Structures are given as structure tokens and as C-alpha cells.
Amino acid sequence: MTEVRREVFGQMPQEEGGGVVEKFVLKSDTVKVEILSLGCIIAALETKDRDGKFSDVVLGFDTLEGYTRKHPFFGAVVGRVANRIAKGRFTVEGKEYQLFLNNGPNSLHGGARGFDKVLWSPQVLPNGVCFFRLSPDGEESYPGDLKVWVTYTLSGGELAINYRAQTSKTTPINLTNHAYFNLAGQGSQDVYDHEISIEADAYLPVDDTKIPTGEVAAVQGTGFDLRQPVELGKHLQKFHLDGFDHNFCLQQAQARRLAARARHPPTGRAMEVYTTQPGIQFYTGNNLDGSLKGKGAVVYPKHSAFCLETQNWPDAVNKPHFPSALLRPGEEYNHTTWLLFNAA
């Protein structure tokens, strides 16, 4: 059985439109997750180690104030389009759109005020919570009224995140959750002792602004071959990598399939990521720099967490040979990602 509780987390500042932010606590025997109505943020996720001890394994803040200030999308649902759009430009049905540039020359994670920075309308379910919002036509310069539902459900050790959307005009869409994980427990110094594997035969090389070049490159014989588990710290050293911030190309299938695994041998905690999405962005917290004070007043240095963001491929709206990122009127965007936690 999953227990669902709701409580007030805080009040949005007036300049952000005010409004009450609620926190929803989903609890099973093995996992406890806290989700905010602001940005559908996963604010905490506690899971057991092999000795049955619970630890919070996601980065974030103790108070609402942390989330209303600038932060690197901790735990949030990002959209309308997750990841980067080159030069913030795209053309749909002959019309060119220019987005806000918030990542060097590119647009990142929905723009200046994306889905992570707005209040969603919650509905409690027997085993979870469903959040809804209407992103109006022209919001952040995107076309069409977009109705979006994000549903979190917890069953035993498995957290499912379902994303649905419908639009009044053809629009690009790519939704993901940007949780930062450290299976040793949030506040641990790095993730070098984690073992990571990703079920991908190909990845997308990027230019120096992190936009895919268009090449779909084989992982074979490179530092991007994570098909067998690697110990992250040793692997980064071996291949002289500063970290990962790359899309890995998953099998093109609408069915649920394994995308990635992360394991922390010292505690026995493990996480498996299953998804219907065509890609997964593996990011090793390269831009964390110790400047943010997180939960329990700990700082988050570089490489102190990793993200496994299930998604469509970055800049797909400008790359015809990538899986299509367009949603048309009458169609429904519908993707699910499952995070399965266990300990051995």
C-alpha cells in the first residue's frame, strides 16, 4: 500500500504571483518521495540501503526559498522543451520562432520561466498525485495552448512518472524530470564510487555549446560505451573526461524498456531507469561548484550527483533525422519513466 499525504510547503513571493506551494508525500515500505506543486519538483526521495537504513538520495533544499532562487533545476519537471535548442530558433509549418536565450547562444529547459518555475494544480490519487497546467499560446514564445498532465505514482520500490500533453497548434515538446541523484545520500562529496551502465549503442557528440552536431556516433571503443557497468571515477580518469552531459540513444520503441542502471556498492543501493523515451541525458553535475547550500546546509560540489534524464534527443526540432519532437493538434504526447529502487 502507498500512503499519500499533502501539506503546505510555503507561499510563493508576490512578484512570482503568490500562491500556496503544497508538498505531497508518497510512502511505501521501501521508498518515501516528496513532491512539490511548484515545478512538480521531487524535493526528497528516501530509499533503503542493504541494512534497511533510509537516506535521502536527491539534491535539493529544505525550504521553498531555495527553490524560488536560481538553482540548476533540482528535481524539477522541465519544459516545454527539455535540454537545448540551438540559437533558440526553430521553424514549424513555415513560421520561425525565436526563444529566450538562457544558456550561452542557446535556449535551455523551456526558457526564462519554464515549467520548473510555475505552480501546477494537483489532484491526489490513491497511490500518487497528478499535476495539471495549461501553458498558454505564446508562453516563452512557444506556439499553441498546451495542456499538460504529470502524474507520479509509487508502488513498492517503483516510482512512475507519466507525462501527457495536448496542443491547439503544432509545437515542439520534450518533458523530463531533472532530479540529481547520489545513492550514497545527498550531501555526499562525489559519485565516483557509483557504478553506471546505459543501454545504448550510440550517443550524440556535441559542439562546444552542448548542441548535438547531428552525428549519431557508435559508443563502441569510446569512453561513451557504458553498456557494461563502469565505476564512474575510474572511468572518467581513464578516458580523461571532465564528466558527462550527453544524450544516449535508446532503442526506438514505444514500449517500456531498461535505459540505465546506477549502483552504489558501499550501501547496496541501486536504481534502474525504464522508459518509453528515445533518449537519456546522462549528466554528472559538472556545473555544481559548491556555491549552493542544500538540505541540512550541506554544499554540493562538482560531480556530487548525477542525472539520468529520459527525453527526446536534444535540438530534435532542428534535426530532421532525429526522432520528431513535434506534437500536433488531435495527437497526444504520452511518455512514462519508471525509477525502480532496491538494495542488495
Side-chain angles (χ1 to χ4, degrees):
M1 277 296 290
T2 300
E3 182 191 319
V4 184
R5 212 172 66 234
R6 73 191 293 177
E7 54 196 58
V8 172
F9 187 65
Q11 184 88 27
M12 287 295 279
Q14 280 317 119
E15 62 272 18
E16 294 280 333
V20 172
V21 178
E22 288 188 281
K23 176 167 85 176
F24 297 82
V25 183
L26 317 184
K27 192 166 178 282
S28 72
D29 290 342
T30 53
V31 173
K32 176 181 161 193
V33 58
E34 301 180 1
I35 305 158
L36 307 181
S37 57
L38 170 68
C40 306
I41 288 170
I42 296 177
L45 198 157
E46 294 182 19
T47 176
K48 285 180 176 177
D49 67 8
R50 68 165 66 87
D51 300 322
K53 178 175 163 285
F54 278 97
S55 283
D56 183 2
V57 297
V58 296
L59 275 52
F61 303 102
D62 289 321
T63 62
L64 178 60
E65 197 187 9
Y67 291 107
T68 55
R69 291 196 296 246
K70 188 171 161 56
H71 68 94
F73 306 95
F74 284 149
V77 165
V78 288
R80 217 176 260 200
V81 176
N83 217 305
R84 295 167 180 85
I85 293 180
K87 301 186 172 57
R89 276 206 295 269
F90 63 89
T91 301
V92 170
E93 294 172 347
K95 184 176 175 192
E96 186 174 279
Y97 294 86
Q98 177 64 56
L99 308 173
F100 182 75
L101 305 180
N102 60 338
N103 186 248
N106 307 315
S107 182
L108 175 72
H109 292 332
R113 193 164 184 264
F115 288 4
D116 59 298
K117 296 179 182 69
V118 294
L119 278 178
W120 294 62
S121 304
Q123 182 194 349
V124 172
L125 307 173
N127 61 340
V129 57
C130 176
F131 297 99
F132 171 79
R133 82 174 296 253
L134 172 69
S135 170
D137 185 21
E139 181 176 63
E140 286 295 326
S141 305
Y142 284 99
D145 285 329
L146 186 76
K147 291 178 179 168
V148 191
W149 296 264
V150 177
T151 305
Y152 291 90
T153 48
L154 180 64
S155 173
E158 185 169 85
L159 178 68
I161 313 172
N162 173 259
Y163 308 89
R164 285 173 52 224
Q166 297 162 357
T167 184
S168 64
K169 292 180 186 170
T170 302
T171 184
I173 181 171
N174 184 18
L175 302 177
T176 192
N177 178 284
H178 209 310
Y180 285 67
F181 294 97
N182 186 321
L183 297 180
Q186 73 88 31
S188 301
Q189 280 300 290
D190 60 59
V191 288
Y192 297 145
D193 59 354
H194 284 56
E195 289 177 356
I196 303 283
S197 61
I198 298 178
E199 301 282 315
D201 297 329
Y203 78 102
L204 299 180
V206 293
D207 67 17
D208 53 12
T209 73
K210 301 277 192 293
I211 292 288
T213 60
E215 182 193 358
V216 180
V219 299
Q220 182 76 40
T222 74
F224 295 88
D225 191 346
L226 304 176
R227 292 173 295 185
Q228 296 299 318
V230 302
E231 190 179 318
L232 196 53
K234 286 180 181 161
H235 186 82
L236 293 177
Q237 273 184 319
K238 177 181 171 184
F239 288 95
H240 308 292
L241 296 167
D242 184 48
F244 288 95
D245 192 1
H246 295 79
N247 177 83
F248 286 76
C249 307
L250 305 173
Q251 280 177 325
Q252 303 287 302
Q254 278 297 300
R256 166 180 170 142
R257 62 213 181 283
L258 180 67
R261 260 198 194 97
R263 190 169 157 264
H264 184 244
T267 59
R269 281 194 193 94
M271 174 174 95
E272 293 177 344
V273 182
Y274 296 82
T275 190
T276 58
Q277 289 275 25
I280 189 166
Q281 185 86 3
F282 179 38
Y283 173 55
T284 48
N286 312 329
N287 298 324
L288 297 174
D289 58 7
S291 62
L292 285 174
K293 271 208 165 69
K295 290 180 272 196
V298 296
V299 295
Y300 297 138
K302 181 175 178 171
H303 296 162
S304 60
F306 64 89
C307 305
L308 287 166
E309 302 157 70
T310 54
Q311 56 168 24
N312 195 4
W313 301 3
D315 200 35
V317 70
N318 291 313
K319 306 263 196 304
H321 61 296
F322 283 11
S324 172
L326 295 179
L327 178 68
R328 294 174 174 83
E331 299 175 345
E332 182 169 85
Y333 176 92
N334 193 333
H335 279 288
T336 307
T337 293
W338 297 264
L339 304 175
L340 181 59
F341 297 93
N342 53 49

